[in-house]
């Protein structure tokens, strides 16, 4: 059975005048809709083109249809987790950067640190989210 796309999956219009070709695309995957919406709004305000998904399955559909520069995903998504999503995402888009987030910070931070993937513990400040995304994209922009 194919997952239903949530009504808030559509891309958010940018409030900044950056040309579309220069804006980097972020996919925010968060099963808590309010948190996902706040994260998306913060990234839009920072000039990113943002897409949202409420599950790993929904995110996978989007990743098959379009390319993104960064995947910002919660680890605990209710069904498949963020680690499984990241594996699928990287197989579909090998140049993708990933940033994980979770409220189970001690367990998840250790697992992310062991493989060198950025991790943002919940609750996080929206400015910290933007900084984490910018840091994850930095190696790419210097190449």
């Amino acid at each position: 059975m194919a997952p239903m796309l949530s009504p808030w999956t559509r891309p958010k219009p940018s409030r900044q005048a950056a040309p579309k070709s220069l804006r980097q695309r972020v996919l925010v995957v968060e099963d808590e809709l309010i948190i996902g919406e706040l994260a998306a709004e913060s990234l839009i305000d920072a000039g990113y083109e943002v897409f949202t998904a409420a599950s790993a399955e929904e995110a996978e559909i989007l990743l098959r249809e379009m390319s993104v520069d960064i995947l910002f995903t919660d680890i605990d998504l209710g069904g498949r987790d963020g680690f499984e999503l990241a594996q699928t995402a990287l197989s579909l888009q090998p140049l993708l950067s990933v940033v994980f987030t979770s409220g189970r910070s001690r367990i998840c931070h250790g697992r992310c640190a062991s493989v060198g993937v950025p991790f943002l513990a919940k609750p996080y400040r929206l400015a910290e989210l933007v900084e984490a995304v910018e840091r994850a994209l930095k190696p790419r922009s210097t190449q």
Side-chain angles (χ1 to χ4, degrees):
M1 172 189 255
M4 290 185 56
L5 296 178
S6 69
W8 58 285
T9 301
R10 65 188 181 285
K12 308 288 184 183
S14 175
R15 294 186 187 130
Q16 297 192 350
K20 186 172 183 167
S21 61
L22 298 178
R23 289 183 22 225
Q24 292 175 308
R25 295 173 135 196
V26 180
L27 175 56
V28 174
V29 186
E30 175 60 66
D31 61 338
E32 295 182 50
L33 298 180
I34 292 173
I35 294 173
E37 193 65 28
L38 289 171
E41 289 296 323
S42 178
L43 291 166
I44 290 167
D45 290 344
Y48 294 98
E49 185 173 4
V50 179
F51 302 88
T52 56
S55 68
E57 295 80 9
E58 186 178 344
E60 189 175 327
I61 291 169
L62 293 173
L63 289 163
R64 290 183 187 282
E65 294 176 357
M66 65 182 183
S67 66
V68 296
D69 299 295
I70 191 159
L71 171 65
F72 177 73
T73 183
D74 189 7
I75 293 171
D76 300 313
L77 293 170
R80 287 182 30 222
D81 68 24
F83 294 124
E84 293 174 85
L85 171 59
Q87 286 180 328
T88 301
L90 289 167
S91 71
L92 293 170
Q93 299 184 31
L95 299 177
L96 178 74
S97 295
V98 178
V99 175
F100 290 109
T101 186
S102 178
R104 299 184 320 156
S105 60
R106 184 181 297 165
I107 296 167
C108 297
H109 184 268
R111 190 167 172 191
C112 290
S114 70
V115 292
V117 178
F119 176 79
L120 190 59
K122 287 182 181 178
Y124 52 81
R125 291 188 173 106
L126 295 174
E128 292 173 321
L129 164 62
V130 173
E131 289 170 11
V133 167
E134 289 172 355
R135 277 193 310 273
L137 290 170
K138 204 168 253 184
R140 227 188 209 189
S141 61
T142 58
Q143 293 177 355

